[in-house]
Amino acid sequence: MGGRGGWWRGKSTPAKVETYTRWSFHTFPFIEIATFALPTFGYVPAPVNWILFLLVSAHAAVAAVTASLTLDWTRGRRPLPVRLLWALGTATVVIAVVSLVVALHGPRGADNGAAAGTVFVGVLSFGIGTLALAVRGTRRMVYGVLGAAVGAGAVAVPAGVSAPGAAVAAGAVVLAAGFFTFTSAFSVWLLNAVYELDEARETRARLAVAEERLRFGRDLHDVMGRNLAVVALKSELAVQLARRGRPEAVEQMVEVQRIARETQREVREVVRGYREADLRTELAGAQGVLTAAGIDCEVSGPVPGLPAEIQSALGWVVREATTNVLRHGDAARCAVSLRVAEGRVTLTVENDGAPGIGSGAGTDTAEPGRGSGLAGLRERLREVDGVLRAGPAGSDLFRLTAEVPLPPDSVPEQAPAPEPGGSPRPAPHPVSEVTS
């Protein structure tokens, strides 16, 4: 989806927050110029008004570049721009003092004092607020604001401002610089918190995959460990008997052959149980997992009486779709529906995440044989003559639909959906890994 809307919806939640934060700081220079530089044309004569305007504009430009590079530093993308921060601090002090002196001792206007105080306080406040982006620690930020206020009062008196006026200027710097410092600190904290939450969600999905791998490994170990130990023991015994020319060696090797075939059968059962998915359990597990992740999940169905192979295929669709909503989407709501009509069972998974990300888009890759992502799901559905469709369904919806024809003698009936307030039993097979 092209255009600005598609560009915005294609971003993840952390990327959206970072874009919003950056553009907020990009608007600060315009606010500084519009609030403190342009009004000077109304009550300060030329050329003082132009001098003040150029000084404030230069300070705003340096602050904008510093804010952009320092935000990169907070995300670990570049070193801290120390020289630029020193340049901004120096420019803040010099421009504030020069503006004060020029406004007070230059050509007299209608209200040079008001212009001097406004520009002086504005430049210091925006400068301190921008420098706060490079400060970690609330105490240091407070010291920075108080130091700027004390410095403002100490500079204002020698420049020709009365003691009460200097005190007012210092108080104004505390309020304005404190506000912009708080804004900078809160913006950085919010941006880091959003990225950490996103990383935690990715970690949770990876842990679910790791847990499933461990379960499968334990099952294989339980099945094969004992049998392989017996095979090794009986093989060694058969070797010893064969060396002595004893006929019992043949019996031992027959027993080894029997155990090997039994082990092969048990391993197939373990793999079959791992590959098959119970539809009702997967639906309940998907609702529980998505709800725990803060995604409003609504499940309608399931339908009892479906053939086992159809339940397994649709269960895998639910499992893979849930995994993708957790790992690749930006969804706040997900709806899973199951219905039977005209001899076909239809499973639909919809979410309001970014188009092309949630529910499996962009994962249309699979290994030969059994895969993951859309290709793997299509292969599983093909075994039961089913079809899979996935794609955007409107401006902010992504829909994945699986349709499977029912055997002529299978006529299941609809059953009520799980209670939204209930505690669904977790799926024995956590959401599986998909290819990003």
Side-chain angles (χ1 to χ4, degrees), residues 143-219:
Y143 289 162
V145 172
L146 294 179
V150 172
V155 169
V157 174
V161 180
S162 62
V168 171
V173 169
V174 168
L175 294 177
F179 171 77
F180 287 114
T181 299
F182 171 79
T183 300
S184 299
F186 179 77
S187 298
V188 172
W189 173 84
L190 179 62
L191 182 60
N192 290 334
V194 171
Y195 270 105
E196 289 174 0
L197 288 174
D198 187 68
E199 292 173 1
R201 184 175 65 175
E202 292 286 338
T203 301
R204 179 172 51 195
R206 288 194 296 268
L207 287 176
V209 173
E211 182 181 354
E212 176 65 4
R213 288 174 174 172
L214 289 174
R215 185 201 67 81
F216 185 61
R218 288 194 300 267
D219 290 348

Side-chain angles (χ1 to χ4, degrees), residues 18 21-22 25-26 28 61-89 126-136 141 181 184-185 187-189 191-192 195:
E18 181 174 355
T21 302
R22 287 185 177 276
F25 281 101
H26 290 336
F28 281 3
V62 174
V65 175
T66 304
S68 179
L69 297 181
T70 308
L71 281 176
D72 286 339
W73 169 75
T74 61
R75 296 302 316 143
R77 296 171 185 155
R78 67 169 64 242
L80 182 65
V82 178
R83 294 182 179 179
L84 192 57
L85 289 168
W86 276 106
L88 175 62
F126 273 93
I128 296 300
T130 303
L131 291 173
L133 290 172
V135 178
R136 290 178 174 173
M141 293 181 185
T181 299
S184 299
S187 298
V188 172
W189 173 84
L191 182 60
N192 290 334
Y195 270 105

Side-chain angles (χ1 to χ4, degrees), residues 275 309 313 316-317 364-388:
R275 290 185 181 275
E309 61 274 12
W316 269 99
V317 174
D364 197 359
T365 59
E367 299 176 357
R370 286 290 190 185
S372 55
L374 295 186
L377 293 181
R378 288 193 176 100
E379 182 178 345
R380 292 181 185 276
L381 291 174
R382 193 178 302 121
E383 295 179 359
V384 290
D385 298 325
V387 295
L388 182 74

Side-chain angles (χ1 to χ4, degrees), residues 388-399:
L388 182 74
R389 293 187 295 272
S395 59
D396 55 1
L397 277 180
F398 189 89
R399 178 181 300 156

Side-chain angles (χ1 to χ4, degrees), residues 6-52:
W7 165 80
W8 177 257
R9 281 194 295 271
K11 290 179 175 290
S12 63
T13 297
K16 290 179 180 178
V17 175
E18 181 174 355
T19 301
Y20 171 79
T21 302
R22 287 185 177 276
W23 281 103
S24 297
F25 281 101
H26 290 336
T27 62
F28 281 3
F30 299 99
I31 296 176
E32 183 177 1
I33 294 172
T35 305
F36 304 114
L38 291 179
T40 59
F41 286 97
Y43 47 80
V44 177
V48 176
N49 50 13
W50 280 104
I51 295 175
L52 294 177

